[in-house]
Coordinates of all heavy atoms in Angstrom, one line a residue:
R7 N 24.4 -5.4 -15.7 CA 25.0 -6.7 -15.9 C 26.5 -6.9 -15.6 O 27.0 -7.9 -15.6 CB 24.7 -7.1 -17.4 CG 23.2 -7.4 -17.6 CD 22.9 -7.6 -19.1 NE 22.9 -6.4 -19.8 CZ 22.6 -6.3 -21.1 NH1 22.2 -7.4 -21.7 NH2 22.6 -5.1 -21.7
G8 N 27.1 -5.7 -15.4 CA 28.5 -5.8 -14.8 C 29.6 -5.9 -15.8 O 30.8 -6.1 -15.5
G9 N 29.3 -5.8 -17.1 CA 30.3 -6.0 -18.1 C 31.5 -5.0 -18.0 O 32.6 -5.3 -18.3
A10 N 31.1 -3.7 -17.5 CA 32.2 -2.7 -17.4 C 33.3 -3.2 -16.5 O 34.5 -3.0 -16.8 CB 31.5 -1.4 -16.9
A11 N 32.9 -3.7 -15.4 CA 33.9 -4.2 -14.4 C 34.9 -5.2 -15.0 O 36.1 -5.2 -14.7 CB 33.2 -4.7 -13.2
L12 N 34.3 -6.1 -15.8 CA 35.2 -7.2 -16.4 C 35.9 -6.7 -17.7 O 36.7 -7.5 -18.2 CB 34.3 -8.3 -16.8 CG 33.5 -9.0 -15.6 CD1 32.6 -10.1 -16.0 CD2 34.6 -9.6 -14.6
S13 N 35.7 -5.5 -18.1 CA 36.3 -5.0 -19.4 C 37.3 -4.0 -19.2 O 38.4 -4.0 -19.8 CB 35.2 -4.5 -20.3 OG 34.2 -5.4 -20.6
V14 N 37.1 -3.0 -18.3 CA 37.9 -1.8 -18.2 C 39.3 -2.1 -17.8 O 40.2 -1.7 -18.5 CB 37.3 -0.8 -17.1 CG1 38.3 0.3 -16.8 CG2 36.0 -0.3 -17.7
A15 N 39.6 -3.0 -16.8 CA 40.9 -3.3 -16.3 C 41.7 -3.9 -17.4 O 42.9 -3.6 -17.7 CB 40.9 -4.1 -15.1
S16 N 41.0 -4.9 -18.1 CA 41.7 -5.6 -19.2 C 42.0 -4.8 -20.4 O 43.1 -4.8 -21.0 CB 40.8 -6.8 -19.6 OG 41.5 -7.6 -20.6
V17 N 41.1 -3.9 -20.8 CA 41.3 -3.1 -22.0 C 42.3 -2.0 -21.8 O 43.1 -1.7 -22.7 CB 39.9 -2.5 -22.5 CG1 40.1 -1.5 -23.6 CG2 39.0 -3.7 -23.0
T18 N 42.2 -1.3 -20.7 CA 43.1 -0.1 -20.4 C 44.4 -0.5 -19.8 O 45.4 0.3 -19.8 CB 42.4 0.9 -19.5 OG1 42.2 0.3 -18.2 CG2 41.0 1.3 -20.1
G19 N 44.5 -1.7 -19.1 CA 45.7 -2.0 -18.5 C 45.9 -1.3 -17.2 O 47.0 -1.3 -16.5
R20 N 44.8 -0.6 -16.7 CA 44.9 0.2 -15.4 C 44.1 -0.6 -14.4 O 43.0 -1.1 -14.6 CB 44.3 1.6 -15.6 CG 45.1 2.4 -16.6 CD 46.5 2.8 -16.0 NE 47.2 3.7 -16.9 CZ 48.0 3.4 -17.9 NH1 48.3 2.1 -18.1 NH2 48.6 4.3 -18.6
P21 N 44.6 -0.7 -13.1 CA 44.0 -1.5 -12.1 C 42.7 -0.8 -11.5 O 42.6 0.4 -11.5 CB 45.1 -1.6 -11.0 CG 45.9 -0.4 -11.2 CD 45.8 0.0 -12.7
I22 N 41.8 -1.7 -11.1 CA 40.6 -1.1 -10.4 C 41.0 -1.1 -8.9 O 41.5 -2.0 -8.3 CB 39.4 -2.1 -10.5 CG1 39.0 -2.3 -12.0 CG2 38.2 -1.5 -9.7 CD1 38.0 -3.3 -12.2
I23 N 40.9 0.1 -8.3 CA 41.4 0.3 -7.0 C 40.3 0.3 -5.9 O 40.4 -0.2 -4.8 CB 42.2 1.7 -6.8 CG1 43.4 1.6 -7.8 CG2 42.7 1.9 -5.4 CD1 44.2 2.9 -7.8
F24 N 39.1 0.9 -6.3 CA 38.0 0.9 -5.4 C 36.7 0.5 -6.1 O 36.5 0.6 -7.3 CB 37.8 2.3 -4.8 CG 38.9 2.8 -3.9 CD1 39.8 3.8 -4.3 CD2 39.0 2.4 -2.6 CE1 40.8 4.2 -3.5 CE2 40.1 2.8 -1.8 CZ 40.9 3.7 -2.2
A25 N 35.8 0.0 -5.2 CA 34.4 -0.4 -5.7 C 33.4 0.2 -4.8 O 33.5 0.0 -3.5 CB 34.3 -1.9 -5.8
S26 N 32.5 1.0 -5.3 CA 31.4 1.6 -4.5 C 30.2 0.7 -4.6 O 29.7 0.4 -5.6 CB 31.1 3.0 -5.1 OG 30.1 3.6 -4.4
T27 N 29.8 0.3 -3.4 CA 28.7 -0.8 -3.3 C 27.4 -0.2 -2.7 O 26.6 -1.1 -2.3 CB 29.3 -1.9 -2.5 OG1 29.6 -1.4 -1.2 CG2 30.5 -2.6 -3.1
G28 N 27.2 1.0 -2.7 CA 26.0 1.5 -2.1 C 25.9 3.0 -2.0 O 26.9 3.7 -2.4
E29 N 24.9 3.6 -1.5 CA 24.7 5.1 -1.5 C 25.3 5.7 -0.2 O 25.6 6.9 -0.2 CB 23.2 5.4 -1.6 CG 22.6 5.0 -2.9 CD 21.1 5.4 -3.0 OE1 20.6 6.1 -2.0 OE2 20.5 5.1 -4.0
G30 N 25.5 4.9 0.8 CA 26.0 5.5 2.1 C 27.5 5.8 2.0 O 28.2 5.2 1.1
L31 N 28.0 6.7 2.8 CA 29.4 7.1 2.7 C 30.4 6.0 3.2 O 31.6 6.0 3.0 CB 29.7 8.4 3.5 CG 29.0 9.6 2.9 CD1 29.4 10.8 3.8 CD2 29.5 9.9 1.5
D32 N 29.8 5.0 3.9 CA 30.6 3.8 4.3 C 30.7 2.7 3.2 O 31.4 1.7 3.4 CB 30.1 3.3 5.6 CG 30.3 4.3 6.8 OD1 31.5 4.8 6.9 OD2 29.4 4.4 7.6
D33 N 29.9 2.8 2.2 CA 29.7 1.8 1.2 C 30.8 1.9 0.1 O 30.6 2.1 -1.1 CB 28.4 1.8 0.5 CG 27.2 1.5 1.5 OD1 27.5 0.7 2.4 OD2 26.1 2.0 1.3
L34 N 32.1 1.7 0.6 CA 33.2 1.8 -0.3 C 34.2 0.7 0.1 O 34.5 0.6 1.3 CB 33.9 3.2 -0.3 CG 35.1 3.4 -1.2 CD1 34.6 3.4 -2.7 CD2 35.9 4.7 -0.9
E35 N 34.6 -0.1 -0.9 CA 35.6 -1.2 -0.6 C 36.8 -1.1 -1.4 O 36.7 -0.6 -2.6 CB 34.9 -2.5 -0.9 CG 33.7 -2.9 -0.1 CD 33.0 -4.2 -0.6 OE1 33.6 -4.9 -1.5 OE2 32.0 -4.6 0.0
A36 N 37.9 -1.5 -0.8 CA 39.1 -1.6 -1.6 C 38.8 -2.8 -2.6 O 38.3 -3.8 -2.2 CB 40.3 -1.9 -0.8
F37 N 39.2 -2.7 -3.9 CA 38.9 -3.7 -4.9 C 40.0 -4.8 -4.8 O 41.2 -4.6 -5.0 CB 38.9 -3.1 -6.2 CG 38.4 -4.1 -7.3 CD1 37.0 -4.2 -7.5 CD2 39.2 -4.8 -8.1 CE1 36.5 -5.1 -8.5 CE2 38.7 -5.7 -9.0 CZ 37.4 -5.8 -9.2
H38 N 39.5 -6.1 -4.6 CA 40.3 -7.2 -4.6 C 39.9 -8.1 -5.8 O 38.8 -8.7 -5.7 CB 40.2 -8.1 -3.3 CG 40.6 -7.3 -2.1 ND1 41.9 -7.4 -1.5 CD2 40.0 -6.4 -1.3 CE1 42.0 -6.6 -0.4 NE2 40.8 -6.0 -0.3
P39 N 40.7 -8.3 -6.8 CA 40.3 -9.1 -8.0 C 39.9 -10.5 -7.6 O 39.0 -11.0 -8.1 CB 41.6 -9.0 -8.9 CG 42.2 -7.7 -8.5 CD 42.0 -7.6 -7.0
D40 N 40.8 -11.1 -6.7 CA 40.5 -12.5 -6.4 C 39.1 -12.7 -5.6 O 38.4 -13.6 -5.8 CB 41.6 -13.1 -5.5 CG 41.9 -12.2 -4.3 OD1 41.6 -11.0 -4.3 OD2 42.6 -12.7 -3.4
R41 N 38.8 -11.7 -4.7 CA 37.6 -11.8 -4.0 C 36.4 -11.5 -4.9 O 35.3 -12.1 -4.7 CB 37.6 -10.8 -2.8 CG 38.7 -11.0 -1.8 CD 38.6 -10.0 -0.7 NE 39.8 -10.1 0.2 CZ 40.0 -9.3 1.2 NH1 39.1 -8.5 1.6 NH2 41.2 -9.4 1.9
M42 N 36.5 -10.6 -5.8 CA 35.4 -10.3 -6.7 C 35.2 -11.5 -7.6 O 34.0 -11.8 -7.9 CB 35.8 -9.1 -7.6 CG 34.7 -8.6 -8.5 SD 33.1 -8.2 -7.7 CE 33.6 -6.7 -6.9
A43 N 36.3 -12.2 -8.1 CA 36.0 -13.4 -8.9 C 35.3 -14.5 -8.2 O 34.4 -15.1 -8.7 CB 37.4 -13.9 -9.4
S44 N 35.7 -14.6 -6.9 CA 35.0 -15.6 -6.0 C 33.5 -15.3 -5.9 O 32.7 -16.2 -5.9 CB 35.7 -15.6 -4.6 OG 36.9 -16.2 -4.7
R45 N 33.2 -14.0 -5.7 CA 31.8 -13.6 -5.6 C 31.0 -13.9 -6.9 O 29.9 -14.4 -6.8 CB 31.7 -12.1 -5.3 CG 32.1 -11.7 -3.9 CD 31.6 -10.3 -3.6 NE 32.4 -9.6 -2.7 CZ 32.2 -8.4 -2.2 NH1 31.1 -7.7 -2.6 NH2 33.0 -7.8 -1.4
I46 N 31.6 -13.6 -8.0 CA 31.0 -13.9 -9.3 C 30.7 -15.4 -9.5 O 29.6 -15.8 -10.0 CB 31.8 -13.4 -10.5 CG1 31.9 -11.8 -10.4 CG2 31.3 -13.8 -11.8 CD1 32.9 -11.2 -11.4
L47 N 31.6 -16.2 -9.0 CA 31.4 -17.7 -9.2 C 30.7 -18.3 -8.0 O 30.7 -19.5 -7.8 CB 32.8 -18.3 -9.3 CG 33.6 -17.9 -10.6 CD1 35.0 -18.6 -10.6 CD2 32.8 -18.3 -11.8
D48 N 30.2 -17.5 -7.1 CA 29.4 -17.9 -6.0 C 30.2 -18.8 -5.0 O 29.7 -19.7 -4.4 CB 28.1 -18.7 -6.4 CG 27.1 -18.9 -5.3 OD1 27.1 -18.0 -4.3 OD2 26.3 -19.8 -5.3
L49 N 31.5 -18.4 -4.9 CA 32.4 -19.1 -4.0 C 32.6 -18.3 -2.7 O 33.3 -18.8 -1.8 CB 33.8 -19.3 -4.6 CG 33.8 -20.0 -6.0 CD1 35.2 -20.1 -6.5 CD2 33.3 -21.5 -5.7

């Protein structure tokens, strides 16, 4: 359900730097808070 992603940065005060989006070695993205928020809101 993704609650970890929306909780960790806020609770610890430490930034999310990377997001792993699959099993392949190329499935790694730099984490952009604004882009992730847009995806969550279907924008």
